[in-house]
Amino acid sequence: MDLVQLQRQFVDYRTSLYHEGFLDEQFTQLQELQDENNPDFVVEVVSLFFEDSERLLNELARALEQQSIDYKRIDAHVHQLKGSSSSIGAQRVQKVCIAFRNYCEEQNVEGCLKCLQQVWHEYSLVKTKLESLFQLEQQILTAGGSIPM
Amino acid sequence: MESCNCIEPQWPPDDLLMKYQYISDFFIALAYFSIPLELIYFVKKSAVFPYRWVLVQFGAFIVLCGATHLINLWTFTVHSRTVASVMTTAKVLTAAVSCITALMLVHIIPDLLSVKTRELFLKNKAAELDREMGLIRTQEETGRHVRMLTHEIRSTLDRHTILKTTLVELGRTLALEECALWMPTRTGLELQLSYTLRQQNPVGYTVPIHHPVINQVFSSNRAVKISPNCPVARLRPAGKYMPGEVVAVRVPLLHLSNFHINDWPELSTKRYALMVLMLPSDSARQWHVHELELVEVVADQVAVALSHAAILEESMRARDLLMEQNVALDLARREAETAIRARNDFLAVMNHEMRTPMHAIIALSSLLQETELTPEQRLMVETILKSSNLLATLINDVLDLSRLEDGSLQLDLGTFNLYAVFREVLNLIKPIASVKKLHVSLTLAPDLPEYAIGDEKRLMQTILNIVGNAVKFSKEGSISITAFVAKLDTLRDSKAPEFLPVLSDNHFYLRVQVKDSGSGINPLDIPKLFTKFAQNQSTGTRNSGGSGLGLAICKRFVNLMEGHIWIESEGLGKGCTAILIVKLGMAERVNESKLPYMPKMPTNHGQTAFPGLKVLVMDENGVSRMVTKGLLLHLGCDVTMVGSSDECLRLVSHEHKVVFMDICVPGIDSYGITIRIHEKFTKRHERPLLVALTGNTDKVKKENCMRAGMDGLILKPVSLDKMRSVLTDLLEHRVFFEAI
């Protein structure tokens, strides 16, 4: 595929992510922060997010398996996850986190488990999407082009 | 005799007298009957008759009288008693009516008489009104004449026409025999006949001005009747039977020098002309008041018209004069330009022509110096070289000065190192000074900028010249050079009254003072110093050389640099101080390569607003910590990241200007940290600004933050623009609480 087509594909894909609600304004802000001094800023942040989120999700799973569920701890984790996802603009993840927190307050185990499922699901989705996006970016860069804004 | 009731007349009926009585009675009756008819007829005809009642009475009276006389006709013969009784009734009635009428007439006749008087009165009034009408008509006529005359007089600005028209119109309006105008001569002692109506060419009679009659006329602004035998009035051929009346009036003449609108007839140094008007002889006409008034008015108008004409003449003369001057000036200018051009051409040619041989002489002489020479020859060659150098300098100076004179010299402006200029001067002058055992010191003020914009070469030349003079004219002692930036009050020196400096933002005034302890200068000679070719001829300077052009050239350079130069000395032997002030441009902070300062960050998202601002970011969440760090880095801040409150307290220092804390994570006691930071930095200006970052939109939390002593609160997510504006606000106001 030639450069122009690649770029167009990239732009379309990115726009679709916004449309489908996977990403929001915050992701654009992140992209704005990337410049010569910080060329891989976005990738770095997103990678960190992936690490963080996986860790948190595992923790959450473990915490919910317990006999006596420590809701405070769960809340703390979900709060962290919410913060992380809002920082990079993973909108859908963030939304689920908000619902998750409500269930935590209610100490609703079923609700929490359901939310955990949802969070996993959303997280996986957004991870896949972002990885594809970065792949496209890489392709454009190797072809010698520049990332369209 | 039968007894009938007839009455017999007293007289026999056949008497002639009876007959005549009979006829007269008949006619009387007729007349009496016809009178009322006539009256009625005429009264009906006339519209107004106030006494109808009287008429009726009178009619009745007449009719009855007529009836009586008619019935009397029957009494001439034997008539019956009936007739007699009718007759008697008629007579009685007639008597009654007549008495009543007589009584009435007593009232009526005075009225009728007064009607007559009223009629007389009205007739008188009508006659009077007629007379007045006549007068008004005459006046109106006069007015019309005046207007017409004025119009005629004022319709032209030519003096001659004005005067001629006046005389003609006056003559026509007033039906004069002769009208003349006497103008005062230039000497003012005589009146000369200038214009007359009838005589075509006034022969130029003159009459002395100090005649009692003339004085009388001149002293009043009314028209004065004068005697026909007066010298001014003797204009007609003699032998007339009875000369007509003569009137004279003064006409004020205005000199342009005493033309003041406000004191129009009051000036005493006025000149007057005399206008003499003569009625036709043998006409028995008299001067009427309205005619005199007309004459006075006309005289005034003539004066005004003449003044206008005079002004016009004057202004035309002035304009002509100006035009001549203009032409002359133009010519002079062109001549001057030609002269300058010729001189410049001459100088250019001579410059080149002179320099070429000079160059040859100097070059060859110096070459000659290098060869083998006997001591005498060496001395000779050195003298030649010295003299030719001097000559070369002289040629340069002369050329420079002449270029300076006509303003064709322009400064070579450029950025240069001011300190270097002074150092160079010092270096150049040190050898000579040390030979003369003079001590030279240089003091540069600390606020003197290192770089300036100006003509480096000429500035150095000027300073060198002044310092050189100081050295030249000092036999011993010391020379001090000081340079500093002149402040406004020092600029306005009383010694330089024409120097009006103007301070502006990108210029400064450099003041250089060169003080020496040499021979000094007589204060009287100081003004001559800067004039070309003038040298003070005091002994001891005769052999110092120099053409005397140096200071003159310096002065020209300094003037070009919008400055001022002068020398102060207290007298001979007391040394002197040369002060020089020039205007130089301020140079920006300039590197040697003269590149403008480039900001490090690319400018695709606005400029770096906060270069080097040290901030501390505390956030447990790795991702958001990284995002915040990226944000602040992008804005140019120096970011330190901490992940816990202990780390934060450990690392926070007074160098950090702002501390961003994420307070929405449970487990971080942000209030505790705040309080401890407050404890750590007791002085307010040392303490960094504490800003809370939170994704929580809780009003309570906000109040808690404020109470705890935080300086600001921002809601996450934070965009780049938001962070930029927050930081700006924060640094300016030292507080920023986002509205929740």
Side-chain angles (χ1 to χ4, degrees):
Chain A
M1 239 190 284
D2 67 332
L3 187 60
V4 177
Q5 274 185 302
L6 268 176
Q7 285 176 328
R8 209 176 316 128
Q9 198 183 16
F10 174 78
V11 170
D12 291 345
Y13 191 61
R14 196 174 56 187
T15 322
S16 71
L17 287 181
Y18 280 104
H19 271 156
E20 288 164 3
F22 284 108
L23 297 174
D24 68 358
E25 248 290 330
Q26 186 61 21
F27 193 74
T28 327
Q29 290 286 328
L30 280 187
Q31 291 191 304
E32 281 187 8
L33 293 178
Q34 182 164 300
D35 52 26
E36 282 83 274
N37 298 314
N38 258 334
D40 297 322
F41 181 68
V42 180
V43 173
E44 280 173 14
V45 174
V46 172
S47 316
L48 190 56
F49 168 68
F50 290 157
E51 282 172 27
D52 235 356
S53 309
E54 272 172 56
R55 182 178 53 86
L56 282 168
L57 285 168
N58 285 329
E59 288 269 340
L60 277 169
R62 241 202 310 254
L64 281 170
E65 279 169 9
Q66 303 289 332
Q67 286 299 79
S68 60
I69 300 176
D70 187 357
Y71 284 104
K72 269 207 164 52
R73 212 157 141 247
I74 291 181
D75 192 344
H77 287 319
V78 175
H79 181 89
Q80 283 257 335
L81 188 60
K82 183 177 128 209
S84 307
S85 55
S86 72
S87 291
I88 69 151
Q91 202 181 40
R92 281 154 82 135
V93 176
Q94 187 192 4
K95 287 208 176 102
V96 180
C97 288
I98 297 173
F100 203 150
R101 282 192 87 190
N102 288 336
Y103 284 126
C104 273
E105 266 178 43
E106 293 166 22
Q107 304 206 343
N108 183 342
V109 153
E110 260 86 38
C112 289
L113 282 169
K114 197 169 62 141
C115 275
L116 183 61
Q117 284 284 71
Q118 267 186 300
V119 170
W120 259 120
H121 177 69
E122 290 298 337
Y123 166 71
S124 313
L125 273 176
V126 86
K127 180 164 176 206
T128 324
K129 301 273 182 196
L130 281 170
E131 277 173 358
S132 326
L133 194 71
F134 290 141
Q135 251 184 337
L136 270 172
E137 237 180 78
Q138 202 54 37
Q139 278 181 333
I140 293 174
L141 285 171
T142 29
S146 63
I147 309 294
M149 271 291 139
Chain B
M1 207 43 84
E2 69 245 354
S3 65
C4 61
N5 275 346
C6 316
I7 298 176
E8 280 190 14
Q10 284 188 300
W11 301 90
D14 294 317
D15 204 13
L16 195 66
L17 291 169
M18 284 298 107
K19 275 208 172 62
Y20 280 129
Q21 278 199 349
Y22 188 84
I23 295 168
S24 326
D25 267 333
F26 177 71
F27 273 114
I28 289 170
L30 203 64
Y32 274 13
F33 278 133
S34 61
I35 285 174
L37 289 172
E38 283 169 12
L39 276 174
I40 291 168
Y41 173 72
F42 281 117
V43 166
K44 272 227 164 50
K45 272 271 175 137
S46 86
V48 188
F49 192 75
Y51 301 111
R52 279 192 196 256
W53 170 239
V54 170
L55 202 60
V56 165
Q57 261 182 331
F58 204 63
F61 164 64
I62 296 273
V63 163
L64 283 170
C65 277
T68 319
H69 281 285
L70 192 64
I71 297 168
N72 213 20
L73 291 178
W74 272 270
T75 52
F76 284 111
T77 51
V78 176
H79 51 279
S80 64
R81 196 151 213 117
T82 343
V83 174
S85 53
V86 168
M87 179 75 201
T88 324
T89 331
K91 271 212 171 125
V92 166
L93 277 174
T94 312
V97 174
S98 348
C99 290
I100 295 171
T101 313
L103 284 170
M104 291 257 69
L105 275 176
V106 173
H107 296 285
I108 288 166
I109 288 181
D111 273 349
L112 286 175
L113 283 177
S114 78
V115 163
K116 210 57 188 155
T117 31
R118 244 179 277 159
E119 192 196 313
L120 204 63
F121 175 70
L122 281 171
K123 220 189 271 179
N124 283 342
K125 257 287 188 252
E128 209 177 290
L129 279 171
D130 264 337
R131 253 176 290 129
E132 275 184 22
M133 263 302 286
L135 252 144
I136 289 173
R137 224 177 272 130
T138 0
Q139 275 181 342
E140 194 205 320
E141 184 108 345
T142 315
R144 209 164 30 83
H145 280 301
V146 169
R147 273 196 299 278
M148 187 251 313
L149 263 167
T150 313
H151 176 75
E152 290 291 325
I153 292 170
R154 300 282 285 272
S155 66
T156 167
L157 281 174
D158 173 40
R159 163 186 277 260
H160 180 79
T161 322
I162 290 173
L163 292 168
K164 251 305 179 202
T165 318
T166 314
L167 297 180
V168 164
E169 292 298 325
L170 266 179
R172 204 153 47 86
T173 312
L174 299 172
L176 299 172
E177 178 179 359
E178 178 61 90
C179 188
L181 191 69
W182 298 79
M183 303 279 274
T185 56
R186 204 150 302 159
T187 58
L189 295 172
E190 292 182 323
L191 280 180
Q192 190 184 35
L193 181 62
S194 316
Y195 301 92
T196 57
L197 189 56
R198 307 283 171 206
Q199 291 171 251
Q200 291 313 103
N201 303 315
V203 188
Y205 293 149
T206 53
V207 161
I209 210 167
H210 294 295
H211 195 278
V213 170
I214 297 176
N215 283 340
Q216 185 200 4
V217 176
F218 279 178
S219 60
S220 134
N221 63 349
R222 322 263 358 236
V224 176
K225 291 207 188 98
I226 61 175
S227 148
N229 295 322
C230 177
V232 289
R234 274 196 235 114
L235 289 169
R236 290 169 284 202
K240 282 290 178 157
Y241 181 55
M242 195 174 74
E245 289 199 342
V246 181
V247 144
V249 71
R250 74 174 187 188
V251 178
L253 294 177
L254 291 169
H255 268 301
L256 235 42
S257 56
N258 52 15
F259 183 58
H260 291 290
I261 301 176
N262 293 329
D263 0 287
W264 164 217
E266 268 73 42
L267 283 175
S268 54
T269 57
K270 273 195 166 294
R271 300 183 340 143
Y272 299 105
L274 191 72
M275 194 153 59
V276 177
L277 305 107
M278 291 175 240
L279 286 178
S281 329
D282 310 330
S283 67
R285 244 182 74 187
Q286 297 266 321
W287 280 101
H288 298 147
V289 172
H290 70 266
E291 287 171 342
L292 292 178
E293 280 173 7
L294 175 75
V295 166
E296 284 157 22
V297 168
V298 168
D300 275 342
Q301 291 298 321
V302 165
V304 174
L306 282 177
S307 63
H308 285 180
I311 292 173
L312 182 72
E313 267 174 40
E314 189 62 35
S315 67
M316 307 234 27
R317 205 153 23 92
R319 189 195 64 174
D320 287 337
L321 196 63
L322 275 173
M323 267 176 32
E324 273 173 34
Q325 282 181 337
N326 230 11
V327 167
L329 278 170
D330 210 27
L331 190 64
R333 180 176 60 88
R334 265 179 288 142
E335 280 176 8
E337 276 178 6
T338 326
I340 289 177
R341 261 198 300 264
R343 186 201 61 182
N344 284 348
D345 289 340
F346 169 74
L347 278 177
V349 164
M350 288 314 289
N351 175 28
H352 177 73
E353 298 303 320
M354 285 200 278
R355 281 205 224 254
T356 320
M358 279 314 306
H359 183 74
I361 296 172
I362 294 175
L364 293 173
S365 317
S366 33
L367 278 177
L368 199 55
Q369 255 188 337
E370 306 292 317
T371 63
E372 285 255 348
L373 294 169
T374 69
E376 291 156 11
Q377 285 172 326
R378 190 162 290 278
L379 198 62
M380 285 189 249
V381 170
E382 274 174 14
T383 319
I384 294 172
L385 206 50
K386 234 193 286 193
S387 314
S388 26
N389 272 330
L390 249 142
L391 194 58
T393 320
L394 183 65
I395 294 173
N396 281 342
D397 279 355
V398 168
L399 200 66
D400 259 351
L401 195 62
S402 53
R403 268 197 302 147
L404 278 172
E405 294 266 277
D406 54 36
S408 60
L409 187 74
Q410 284 190 317
L411 294 175
D412 289 324
L413 294 176
T415 312
F416 63 95
N417 190 333
L418 200 56
Y419 288 28
V421 167
F422 283 107
R423 280 198 291 269
E424 184 76 21
V425 167
L426 203 62
N427 287 339
L428 283 172
I429 211 71
K430 263 216 167 76
I432 309 173
S434 60
V435 161
K436 285 180 117 182
K437 302 234 183 345
L438 293 166
H439 175 71
V440 182
S441 67
L442 170 66
T443 320
L444 298 173
D447 65 344
L448 197 65
E450 193 182 339
Y451 290 92
I453 298 178
D455 190 336
E456 184 185 5
K457 185 174 113 205
R458 296 202 170 94
L459 182 66
M460 177 137 66
Q461 194 177 346
T462 312
I463 300 176
L464 192 58
N465 194 311
I466 298 178
V467 174
N469 275 350
V471 168
K472 208 186 334 179
F473 292 110
S474 304
K475 286 208 217 93
E476 58 186 4
S478 67
I479 301 190
S480 77
I481 310 171
T482 37
F484 49 91
V485 175
K487 301 289 177 293
L488 196 58
D489 41 340
T490 54
L491 283 174
R492 300 257 171 82
D493 212 304
S494 56
K495 303 225 175 34
E498 321 85 34
F499 181 47
L500 295 164
V502 172
L503 286 180
S504 63
D505 270 342
N506 43 11
H507 288 98
F508 70 96
Y509 284 89
L510 169 71
R511 184 175 164 122
V512 179
Q513 283 178 200
V514 178
K515 192 171 164 63
D516 70 54
S517 55
S519 48
I521 302 172
N522 190 342
L524 296 173
D525 286 336
I526 289 182
K528 281 192 266 160
L529 282 173
F530 292 100
T531 53
K532 287 188 291 185
F533 310 118
Q535 290 216 59
N536 48 348
Q537 300 294 324
S538 52
T539 58
T541 62
R542 259 350 250 77
N543 50 1
S544 357
S547 56
L549 275 181
L551 279 178
I553 293 186
C554 287
K555 187 161 174 64
R556 300 287 192 282
F557 282 153
V558 165
N559 284 343
L560 272 179
M561 292 189 222
E562 295 179 59
H564 193 75
I565 178 171
W566 70 97
I567 292 188
E568 295 170 11
S569 173
E570 283 171 38
L572 287 169
K574 299 212 180 87
C576 68
T577 315
I579 302 167
L580 131 81
I581 301 182
V582 288
K583 186 173 176 185
L584 294 173
M586 299 249 230
E588 308 92 39
R589 193 160 59 92
V590 118
N591 304 323
E592 286 308 316
S593 56
K594 295 206 171 96
L595 282 173
Y597 181 69
M598 290 286 240
K600 258 185 352 175
M601 303 292 248
T603 53
N604 54 352
H605 284 291
Q607 65 282 34
T608 56
F610 314 100
L613 182 72
K614 264 177 115 62
V615 294
L616 188 76
V617 175
M618 189 194 78
D619 193 344
E620 274 212 336
N621 187 325
V623 176
S624 71
R625 196 169 59 219
M626 193 162 176
V627 172
T628 316
K629 176 177 169 185
L631 207 57
L632 290 165
L633 273 180
H634 193 81
L635 290 173
C637 304
D638 182 355
V639 186
T640 318
M641 307 286 296
V642 290
S644 72
S645 38
D646 294 323
E647 254 188 296
C648 173
L649 279 167
R650 216 166 9 101
L651 289 178
V652 79
S653 71
H654 66 270
E655 283 181 329
H656 294 109
K657 293 283 178 277
V658 189
V659 174
F660 287 103
M661 289 190 260
D662 189 331
I663 59 164
C664 57
V665 185
I668 290 198
D669 182 12
S670 33
Y671 316 123
I673 300 175
T674 316
I675 292 166
R676 272 191 277 177
I677 291 182
H678 271 273
E679 281 170 14
K680 185 164 176 184
F681 300 100
T682 43
K683 293 205 193 88
R684 207 193 138 76
H685 63 267
E686 275 184 356
R687 182 172 63 79
L689 293 167
L690 300 168
V691 179
L693 273 175
T694 171
N696 228 330
T697 55
D698 198 339
K699 217 176 198 129
V700 178
K701 221 176 190 109
K702 177 183 173 187
E703 279 164 19
N704 287 343
C705 287
M706 288 162 92
R707 234 180 294 132
M710 291 205 139
D711 301 298
L713 183 113
I714 318 176
L715 288 177
K716 282 206 274 195
V718 186
S719 72
L720 188 63
D721 294 338
K722 183 163 156 185
M723 183 59 95
R724 197 185 289 124
S725 67
V726 163
L727 272 176
T728 319
D729 241 26
L730 205 63
L731 291 170
E732 198 178 300
H733 300 124
R734 300 198 69 78
V735 78
F736 182 87
F737 280 96
E738 190 167 347
I740 293 178

